Amino acid sequence: MSGNSQNYILASSSQEVLTNQATFREPENIGNGGMGLVNTGSIIANASGNLLINVSGMNFNNTGTVEANGATLTLKVGCDFPHQR
């Protein structure tokens, strides 16, 4: 993905959970408030834009890397963080 404000990773149902084991670069919005996220890979924002991780209370588990280099990272989660780095 490129640093575009229209880069969304969405689910068709709030019951879905995205499991990331790879590397996402330059997503703008992950979840849009409507899915869970399990990250064991990397989610990296290198653009001058924003990275919004906005997942539902379905599940959020991060044992990988979530980072912003030259970007703004915002986390909105409908549950507690089981793992933080």
Side-chain angles (χ1 to χ4, degrees):
M1 299 182 138
S2 63
N4 183 311
S5 64
Q6 298 303 310
N7 288 341
Y8 282 77
I9 299 173
L10 306 171
S12 59
S13 163
S14 63
Q15 300 301 309
E16 293 183 28
V17 176
L18 170 66
T19 300
N20 175 48
Q21 298 174 332
T23 299
F24 288 139
R25 294 186 190 278
E26 310 304 336
E28 284 288 320
N29 186 316
I30 297 175
N32 203 33
M35 70 178 190
L37 172 65
V38 175
N39 179 50
T40 60
S42 297
I43 301 172
I44 303 169
N46 290 321
S48 59
N50 298 320
L51 168 57
L52 172 63
I53 298 176
N54 184 10
V55 294
S56 70
M58 183 68 192
N59 190 4
F60 181 83
N61 190 330
N62 178 51
T63 59
T65 300
V66 177
E67 66 182 25
N69 297 314
T72 300
L73 171 63
T74 304
L75 300 172
K76 292 183 178 179
V77 182
C79 61
D80 294 330
F81 288 91
H83 298 281
Q84 288 183 303
R85 289 186 169 208

